[in-house]
Amino acid sequence: MADVVITEFTDPSCPWAFSAEPTRRRLTWLYGDQVAWQTCMVGLSASPEESAARGLTPESTASHLREIAERHRMPIDTRLRPRLVASLPACRAVVAARLHQPDRERHLLRRLRVRCFSGELLDTEATIAAAARDAGIDPGELAAWMAGDDVAAALDADMARAREPIEAARVLDAKLANWSGGRRYTCPSYEVVRAADGVRIAIPGFQPFAVYDVILANLVPGIDRREPPQLVEEVLAWTATPLATQEVAVVCDISHDEARERLGRVASECHVGFDGFWTLPG
């Protein structure tokens, strides 16, 4: 049994959540099975029109993506998209996997993110089906699951929970966002629960690695930590999924440039934006 359960409030379309993946992967490497992860879909946009009503445009979105990519060094295609997208179909797909093929849920979320930030339109059936195949899920089965009442109810519950931050999170109000009924968690936000007694700590919004590390050290001081991996190929083999240079760098606790040089010797890159995703040969 895990010592700590972390619920990640997230959305496949959020570039901040995508940019936080290096930190989440480092935490997963350091603490392994002592930390259990759950997802809660925020549901950032129900339709392109809803996004437009908030003042977003394809041009402003491209500019925002470029700024985030430059700051956090994750591979993001910053070319102008033909239109805004809705995130709810992708959120529904992730929840469907959680209910019907839970061992593939995290893989599907990852593949949706990769396709989204490689420039594909996240709310199309083709993108979701392709991400399902990437994640080892039958696209036809996923589509059938997504239409179920159980998935609709679970997604509604996720979105409701994301819109009721616990009291501790409200202290850091700048890390929350508005919705029509009040305040909600931004992506990514964490709720960390100590299994021994149910103590719950909120970590709203994008945070540096040290914040999570200090909280876990205080919450469960006896928890074991692994040393960083010595080889970049060890990280790629561990995840069994294409990784960005920055993800490997953060897990190995080395610089982005050093990680990129090492990866170039042992792995193949699929270029996206100013960087790319790396895989081991074969």
Side-chain angles (χ1 to χ4, degrees), residues 22-238:
T23 291
R24 189 189 66 80
R25 290 195 185 278
R26 185 175 182 185
L27 291 170
T28 303
W29 172 271
L30 288 174
Y31 297 110
D33 293 340
Q34 297 170 102
V35 173
W37 293 86
Q38 300 174 348
T39 65
C40 184
M41 296 294 108
V42 174
L44 291 177
S45 56
S47 67
E49 293 75 21
E50 180 181 296
S51 296
R54 296 202 302 266
L56 296 177
T57 65
E59 291 77 12
S60 68
T61 299
S63 176
H64 185 53
L65 291 176
R66 187 174 299 107
E67 178 184 344
I68 293 175
E70 290 173 354
R71 184 183 304 177
H72 297 290
R73 313 201 76 174
M74 286 292 280
I76 297 176
D77 189 325
T78 62
R79 287 176 294 183
L80 189 67
R81 270 63 164 179
R83 60 172 175 83
L84 298 172
V85 300
S87 73
L88 281 194
C91 291
R92 188 174 296 111
V94 174
V95 172
R98 182 197 305 159
L99 296 184
H100 294 276
Q101 201 170 346
D103 64 315
R104 297 285 94 190
E105 178 196 4
R106 180 64 71 172
H107 295 278
L108 179 60
L109 175 57
R110 170 65 176 196
R111 295 298 186 157
L112 287 165
R113 281 174 171 156
V114 168
R115 287 186 174 273
C116 173
F117 294 109
S118 296
E120 297 186 27
L121 296 176
L122 186 61
D123 55 1
T124 66
E125 292 181 4
T127 296
I128 293 173
R133 283 190 291 269
D134 294 340
I137 300 173
D138 181 88
E141 289 186 350
L142 180 64
W145 299 336
M146 289 171 64
D149 291 342
D150 58 339
V151 172
L155 178 56
D156 285 346
D158 271 21
M159 293 174 62
R161 182 179 176 189
R163 284 155 179 78
E164 287 293 336
I166 65 174
E167 197 63 32
R170 296 174 187 271
V171 175
L172 297 175
D173 188 70
K175 291 290 186 178
L176 302 177
N178 284 321
W179 69 287
S180 60
R183 303 290 278 166
R184 64 160 174 83
Y185 281 122
T186 52
C187 306
S189 292
Y190 290 172
E191 285 184 3
V192 185
V193 178
R194 184 165 59 196
D197 55 10
V199 168
R200 184 182 303 267
I201 294 176
I203 313 175
F206 189 97
Q207 301 283 355
F209 169 77
V211 170
Y212 308 109
D213 206 26
V214 168
I215 285 174
L216 287 173
N218 281 273
L219 194 63
V220 279
I223 197 169
D224 295 328
R225 285 173 55 111
R226 297 169 69 184
E227 292 297 319
Q230 296 299 306
L231 302 174
V232 295
E233 53 265 44
E234 190 176 358
V235 184
L236 294 176
W238 166 61

